[in-house]
Amino acid sequence: MENEKQLVQQVADYLQLQYKDLIYRFDLAADLRMTIGQATRNKRLHPRRGYPDLFIAKPVGKYHGLFIELKVVNIYKKDGSFRTSEHLQEQQAMLSDLNSQGYYACFCIGFDEVKKTV
């Protein structure tokens, strides 16, 4: 099973190969080991939790751009309902807010779903 670091690299490689002129950015702060000073500054700069892992700055149709929250494990129960955790709820709330502001924002589970969404 792949981990999220591997998925991020796979997606980056894909975007660079298939969409050479595409402007995109990964949010890597959650994956970094920061000093207390750096973590404090980062929290002051970004007070809201749940920011998606990937932003693609390309308007398409009615959307201003694409935000993707990358996942390597399924976040849905067998009955199709959303798994509940504070972290997932924060991420879902952020995606909902971004969708309401004219972006396409979603969860993608695994590389194939990312590829299909992009």
Side-chain angles (χ1 to χ4, degrees), residues 2 7 10-15 17-19 22 54 56 66 68 70-71 106-118:
E2 65 187 347
L7 178 58
Q10 191 177 16
V11 171
D13 291 345
Y14 172 74
L15 293 175
L17 185 65
Q18 295 297 318
Y19 304 97
L22 191 67
L54 173 61
I56 297 177
L66 172 63
I68 298 176
L70 300 168
K71 296 294 179 194
C106 62
F107 287 103
C108 282
I109 303 162
F111 178 71
D112 290 336
E113 199 167 308
V114 172
K115 192 172 163 182
K116 186 173 93 173
T117 301
V118 171

Side-chain angles (χ1 to χ4, degrees), residues 20-108:
K20 291 177 179 32
D21 296 328
L22 191 67
I23 299 169
Y24 65 91
R25 182 107 182 147
F26 287 97
D27 180 37
L28 300 175
D31 198 33
L32 298 176
R33 292 181 186 243
M34 295 185 223
T35 66
I36 291 180
Q38 291 169 327
T40 301
R41 181 172 187 260
N42 187 59
K43 188 170 184 171
R44 277 196 324 262
L45 293 173
H46 309 284
R48 185 158 175 207
R49 296 172 48 93
Y51 191 84
D53 296 313
L54 173 61
F55 173 61
I56 297 177
K58 175 139 180 91
V60 175
K62 66 179 184 175
Y63 300 109
H64 304 312
L66 172 63
F67 282 94
I68 298 176
E69 180 60 47
L70 300 168
K71 296 294 179 194
V72 292
V73 295
N74 197 344
I75 57 171
Y76 300 99
K77 296 178 185 177
K78 288 183 181 182
D79 66 4
S81 65
F82 192 66
R83 291 191 188 278
T84 54
S85 77
E86 184 178 346
H87 183 64
L88 284 175
Q89 289 173 343
E90 289 169 346
Q91 291 174 329
Q92 180 60 49
M94 177 66 80
L95 294 176
S96 293
D97 285 350
L98 290 165
N99 277 311
S100 71
Q101 294 178 40
Y103 294 94
Y104 189 87
C106 62
F107 287 103
C108 282

